[in-house]
Amino acid sequence: MSTTDSFVPEQRPPVVLRRARTEDGSCRHQLVWEAGPGWRMVSSAVLGGGLGERAWVLNAQVRSGYSRMDPDRHLAELAAAEGLSGPGVGLMTAAEVDDCTWSEDGGVVALVTTGIGVPTWAADPAASVPVLFAPGAFVPGTINILAVVPAPVTDGGLVNLLATATEAKVQALLEAGYDCSGTPSDAVCVAVRTPDTPAAADPFGGPRSVWGSRLARAVHRAVLDGAERDRRRRDRGPAVPHQGPSPECCRENVLHVGR
């Protein structure tokens, strides 16, 4: 496997914006990464999922109890309103995107929004039974992970990176004291650089590969931090939404020093 950084064309950290909109009578926030050309992504997202060239990632917060049956169209509308064009990835969550967590390891950046309102095991035999909650219960779920790897990786390696990110998420949840593998609506997106030639792409993405190990550590730390923050938020109860975006709602880069 690769043991050097010879596959790296450049290492510039992503710039992730926080934007706001009015929806359902309240201000809703979203995170936007305008990656631009030269990126390939693999994702389980409802919009832009699968594997291919992608130019942006949008992670939109919606109200708890979101019931639209066309989230892909909804996300496409939000992306268009942000001026995002071309193929991209749209994620959705009822968790607080303002309280996102992130970590960096050897050039790999992991950005996570965490809501563990519906913890579950993937192989739970009772998972086919719908989960019902009392009116007013504070149960927003979904752990959304964006991992950015500044190197070209093959299709197989990219899929392996997706699996590695999921493994790191589960490890972090267990260490945070949660008896679960995630929530039913978790989503992951991993971005890598487009190779100039097939020979320039790293074929490995497992947890003992160069980029897989860095990704695993970054995702693990971001999810662990997010799980602990989520627990504190639930102890306080749901945040009170405000009406209409204000200048304080937007931020030019949520990946800032000291986070």
Side-chain angles (χ1 to χ4, degrees):
M1 68 177 63
S2 171
T3 57
T4 71
D5 291 339
S6 59
F7 293 105
V8 183
E10 60 180 332
Q11 292 196 43
R12 292 185 299 175
V15 175
V16 180
L17 313 177
R18 190 176 76 195
R19 293 292 180 254
R21 69 192 190 279
T22 299
E23 188 173 283
D24 298 323
S26 299
C27 182
R28 307 290 178 191
H29 294 179
Q30 54 213 28
L31 305 179
V32 180
W33 177 40
E34 296 186 65
W39 290 93
R40 298 170 63 250
M41 303 184 193
V42 62
S43 178
S44 59
V46 66
L47 176 66
L51 192 156
E53 296 280 338
R54 303 288 188 267
W56 49 266
V57 178
L58 171 73
N59 188 2
Q61 182 176 343
V62 296
R63 66 179 178 84
S64 179
Y66 179 87
S67 59
R68 281 186 61 163
M69 299 304 293
D70 60 344
D72 54 341
R73 178 177 295 182
H74 187 188
L75 286 165
E77 293 168 352
L78 296 180
E82 288 290 341
L84 303 172
S85 60
V89 172
L91 307 166
M92 186 174 284
T93 182
E96 293 287 341
V97 301
D98 288 7
D99 208 16
C100 63
T101 55
W102 69 277
S103 181
E104 186 272 341
D105 192 296
V108 176
V109 174
L111 174 67
V112 178
T113 54
T114 307
I116 318 177
V118 191
T120 187
W121 285 104
D124 186 346
S128 60
V129 178
V131 180
L132 301 178
F133 302 100
F138 182 45
V139 294
T142 303
I143 301 169
N144 284 341
I145 299 172
L146 168 62
V148 181
V149 176
V153 179
T154 64
D155 285 358
L158 183 49
V159 173
N160 208 346
L161 286 172
L162 187 77
T164 297
T166 303
E167 292 173 7
K169 176 196 73 173
V170 175
Q171 180 181 344
L173 290 174
L174 294 178
E175 290 182 15
Y178 284 93
D179 185 23
C180 69
S181 57
T183 84
S185 53
D186 290 355
V188 184
C189 177
V190 179
V192 300
R193 298 310 303 260
T194 302
D196 294 329
T197 65
D202 194 329
F204 302 107
R208 291 298 171 265
S209 67
V210 171
W211 295 109
S213 62
R214 296 175 184 181
L215 174 144
R217 290 189 293 268
V219 169
H220 174 266
R221 284 195 294 266
V223 173
L224 185 60
D225 188 10
E228 294 168 347
R229 288 173 180 266
D230 182 69
R231 181 180 287 116
R232 292 195 292 269
R233 289 198 303 271
R234 292 178 192 285
D235 290 341
R236 296 193 300 266
V240 178
H242 60 277
Q243 293 184 343
S246 66
E248 292 75 21
C249 294
C250 298
R251 181 175 294 174
E252 291 307 311
N253 191 4
V254 300
L255 307 182
H256 59 84
V257 177
R259 174 68 168 146

